[in-house]
Each structure stands twice: as structure tokens, then as C-alpha cells.
Amino acid sequence: MTAAREAPVSEWVTIPDMYRDPFPIFQRMRAEAAVHWVPSVNRYMVVTYDECHTAEMDGETFSADETGSLMKRSMGHSMLRKDDPEHAPERAAWQPPLRPGAIKTVWREVFEANTERYLDRLADAGDAADLIWDFAAPLAAENLRSILGFVNATQEDLQRWSQTMIDATGNYADDPVVWEKGRRSSEEVDRAIDELLPYYAAHPDASLISGLVNMPGGERLPIEAIRANLKMTIGGGLNEPRDVIGTAAWALLENPDQLGRVLQDPALWPVAFDEAIRWIAPIGMYPRETTRDVELGGVRLPAGSRLGIVVLSANRDERVFEYAERFDIAREKKPHLAFGGGAHYCAGAWVAKSSVAQVALPRLFERFEGLEIDGDRETSAGGWVFRGMLKLPVTWQRERKGAAA
């Protein structure tokens, strides 16, 4: 048996380089070790599939309740930074409007209407159309606004709140400007929530905030938990579907043979969705902290070690996914880690699958015949804690109004 070793110190890994293109960096890290100490982010980064999965499934050893958490500072102490049993009641309170039954009976119709609205906006942009900012971002924000029940806010408010608080959650560079923008958004969200609690006590509906106000038995989560968890949901619940729409559309447009297969067989839309989030996981890294001395991937980790679980890297682990750097809807089906796992498996997974794979992507390609990337304008992606398209300019040959099924 090989003795465990100290983690390699990867001083060559920088935040700007990871933001631009993390994949060559992660490929080199995976080849050298499963776990690295990275001074630029002041934590161990876990970059291989098996070790990321191990950490996610062992909550007793790899705690979500990280000391000095950036998310706690940005958004408050949400369920995402709690372990069971504290995590369980908050998760249970969040589930009813996010379950498949509620999506089918309430939210699918909302997703369809919102999708048509923002396809109109994309069409109106004409030669200046950007798939992210004219369609994916406002659509994701409007869908989330509806589910949460923020009747006193706009989708533009949710976009601003989400981005500034997410930026603070990933502020490993400790930029004071980023912290200040996040703080202002956090306070705006608190004020909006405070207005809505009495409103939904008098006007209950199917929204999440209404459900939190009108819980069975008259019980209610503490206001601090409501605020923190709603901020967490605004962050991931907006950025993830926005970035999946952008990533999946980009991948399909860059691989016209695969796009052709999906257009011929609409049953492949969920497959394309799953491959897109494997290929570029929207949430690239999340933290954990060891509760005891432990060995992970042959590396010794003392109790209290701060970890980054890098699913953006794990989902491209060559040991698990053949030709992992390729987008390929025909690849052998294997479980990816984009939705996490264990107790913290993404609560919004069914919402994302319905709103993106069943509605947004099919309707987009039905509406715009000959949709393609505009090669005369810049296309770009960015991020490593959260990664998605920054610019995706598009053109099309013909618009097919009323093409929706």
C-alpha cells in the first residue's frame, strides 16, 4: 500500500487564468494529483471525479458548513452551507413548488409563456441579437421570479441581485468593490422579502415564498433562514439555467451534425441538456471542510482543511469520460456531477430540466430556422467557480412565428 503524501503546491494556478480557460489547467492538475493546495484560492482543490464524488457523499467528513464561507458572508447561512440534520427541514420547506407534479400542473405553462415572450425579444434585437442577454438571461430570471413569487421585483432586479451576490460568493480575490455590490443587493432582497411576507399571508398562491409563509401547521422557518435560502436560490436558480441555455446552444451550433440529430429526434433534447452540463458544469466549484484528519486521493488532509470540489474538472475526468473535452450527445451515458449529489443534490434540477430541455431549447430552434453564430461578432465564455457564455451573437435565416408545439 502506498503511503499518503502531502498535496502538491500549485503556485502556478492563478484566478485570472482559470477565469479565461480553466480546462487545460484542470487537465494538468488531474494528471499530477487528485488534490492540490492552491495558494491563489487559499484551499485544496479536488479535481478528479472519484474524489469529488467521495467528498459529496460523505457529509460527516466533508462538511458543507465551511468556516469563513464566502457564501455565508454574501447571502447568509443557507441550507447549502448546512449539514443534516440542520439542512433537512429547510430543504423540505423548499421542495413543494419544485417537484415534478408542481412543474407539470403550474410552472410548465409559465415556462412556455415566458419563453415565447423572450423569443420575441430576441427576434426584435435583429442584427444585434445576443442569445445570452436577449433571451437566456431574462428568460431564466423571469421563470425564477415567477416560481419564487417576487411580485414586487422585475426580472432585471433578479438578474442584478443574482450576479452581484454570485460574484461575492466567488470573490476569492477579496475585491472590496465586489463585496459592496453584493451587500447592496443583499439588502434589497431583504426589503423585498419583508414586503412579501404579509402579502402572501393574505394572498396565498403556488409560489415558493407563499409556501414558506403558509407552511402546514402554521410553522415558519426563521426569517434569517428564509432570507439566506431565497438569496441562494436567486443565485443558482438564475445562473444555472441561463448558462445551460447558452452552453447547450453554443455546443450544438458548433456541432451542426449533432444539432441535426436533435432536430430530427426531439427526444434527444434532454440528452443534449445532460451532455451540456457535463461538458461545462454551470457551478464549477463549491466548498467543503474536513471534520477530521482524512486521506483523499492519496493525499493527507488535516482536520479543518478547506476544500474546493471542482466539478467543472471532475466532469472532464478522462478516467471516467472518454474524449471528455468533446461535446458528444452520442457518448456512453454515465452519471455526471453537475447537480451535485447526496443530501445537497440540486433542489432545482427538475425545474432546469423542464424549463431548458423541454421548453427553451426546443422552442428556440423551432422559432429560428438556420440559427447560427454570427462570426462577425465576438463569442466568449468565462468563469471557473461559475462558468457560462458571456457573449453569444446569433443570426438566422428565417423566423417561424407560431412554431411552438
Side-chain angles (χ1 to χ4, degrees):
M1 180 179 293
T2 304
R5 59 172 175 146
E6 298 297 323
V9 178
S10 297
E11 295 181 344
W12 56 275
V13 176
T14 71
I15 290 174
D17 286 344
M18 286 193 290
Y19 184 89
R20 283 189 295 270
D21 185 2
F23 297 111
I25 296 170
F26 295 155
Q27 185 176 38
R28 174 179 166 183
M29 293 173 76
R30 288 193 303 272
E32 294 177 358
V35 182
H36 294 244
W37 173 254
V38 182
S40 61
V41 295
N42 193 33
R43 68 185 54 235
Y44 295 92
M45 291 177 67
V46 184
V47 293
T48 51
Y49 182 99
D50 287 345
E51 283 65 35
C52 284
H53 182 63
T54 294
E56 183 59 78
M57 300 305 292
D58 184 0
E60 290 187 3
T61 303
F62 303 96
S63 172
D65 191 6
E66 182 194 35
T67 303
S69 163
L70 301 185
M71 175 172 275
K72 291 180 192 177
R73 178 175 173 180
S74 171
M75 302 179 180
H77 198 174
S78 73
M79 70 179 93
L80 208 57
R81 293 294 165 262
K82 293 181 180 179
D83 302 314
D84 285 334
E86 291 78 15
H87 162 269
E90 295 179 19
R91 170 113 179 177
W94 242 247
Q95 286 299 129
L98 307 180
R99 290 180 178 137
I103 293 168
K104 181 178 180 180
T105 59
V106 179
W107 302 120
R108 174 65 180 258
E109 183 178 350
V110 173
F111 299 157
E112 291 171 349
N114 288 341
T115 296
E116 295 309 315
R117 174 180 177 182
Y118 289 104
L119 286 174
D120 289 344
R121 173 167 165 170
L122 183 65
D124 289 344
D127 292 341
D130 186 293
L131 187 59
I132 305 305
W133 306 112
D134 294 317
F135 177 61
L139 172 60
E142 191 64 51
N143 284 343
L144 185 65
R145 190 184 74 85
S146 301
I147 293 172
L148 297 186
F150 275 101
V151 295
N152 57 348
T154 66
Q155 62 89 1
E156 291 86 355
D157 290 328
L158 264 75
Q159 284 200 63
R160 184 180 70 259
W161 295 343
S162 177
Q163 195 60 56
T164 51
M165 291 190 297
I166 282 291
D167 287 346
T169 295
N171 190 19
Y172 290 92
D174 200 25
D175 185 332
V177 175
V178 171
W179 286 126
E180 177 59 20
K181 290 180 178 179
R183 182 192 64 78
R184 288 200 298 266
S185 288
S186 179
E187 291 178 353
E188 284 186 45
V189 175
D190 286 345
R191 289 193 293 270
I193 293 170
D194 290 347
E195 290 177 0
L196 290 172
L197 297 183
Y199 172 82
Y200 280 116
H203 305 90
D205 65 12
S207 70
L208 176 57
I209 297 176
S210 178
L212 296 174
V213 170
N214 301 288
M215 290 177 66
E219 297 181 2
R220 185 185 294 184
L221 294 176
I223 186 62
E224 295 81 5
I226 292 174
R227 288 174 171 172
N229 284 304
L230 283 170
K231 291 170 191 175
M232 176 269 294
T233 307
I234 290 169
L238 196 159
N239 282 31
E240 288 183 77
R242 178 197 71 195
D243 293 341
V244 174
I245 292 171
T247 294
W250 181 46
L252 290 168
L253 292 171
E254 290 282 7
N255 294 274
D257 56 330
Q258 297 188 54
L259 174 59
R261 289 186 56 201
V262 176
L263 293 178
Q264 289 179 1
D265 182 4
L268 290 175
W269 281 115
V271 178
F273 169 90
D274 255 354
E275 174 62 357
I277 61 176
R278 182 216 58 90
W279 185 54
I280 300 180
I283 296 181
M285 188 187 84
Y286 50 83
R288 290 293 184 265
E289 183 174 307
T290 57
T291 60
R292 61 180 178 86
D293 293 352
V294 65
E295 178 184 332
L296 183 65
V299 171
R300 286 190 296 270
L301 297 171
S305 295
R306 302 173 70 195
L307 312 181
I309 309 302
V310 191
V311 296
L312 194 64
S313 173
N315 279 350
R316 292 200 181 191
D317 191 331
E318 302 84 350
R319 301 167 185 84
V320 178
F321 303 101
E322 188 175 14
Y323 302 110
E325 76 285 357
R326 299 180 186 175
F327 175 86
D328 182 6
I329 62 172
R331 73 169 57 253
E332 179 184 355
K333 184 175 178 58
K334 295 181 179 179
H336 58 71
L337 303 180
F339 286 130
H344 291 92
Y345 183 82
C346 178
W350 287 106
V351 170
K353 291 175 182 179
S354 177
S355 63
V356 176
Q358 297 175 5
V359 181
L361 287 172
R363 299 291 171 86
L364 170 67
F365 284 92
E366 288 170 0
R367 175 79 172 261
F368 298 102
E369 186 176 349
L371 186 71
E372 61 183 10
I373 297 171
D374 185 349
D376 293 331
R377 293 183 285 153
E378 181 187 4
T379 298
S380 64
W384 63 284
V385 179
F386 305 91
R387 187 164 182 86
M389 299 302 297
L390 304 175
K391 298 178 182 178
L392 187 54
V394 292
T395 61
W396 53 88
Q397 296 172 3
R398 185 166 68 94
E399 184 185 354
R400 300 168 60 198
K401 289 283 285 186

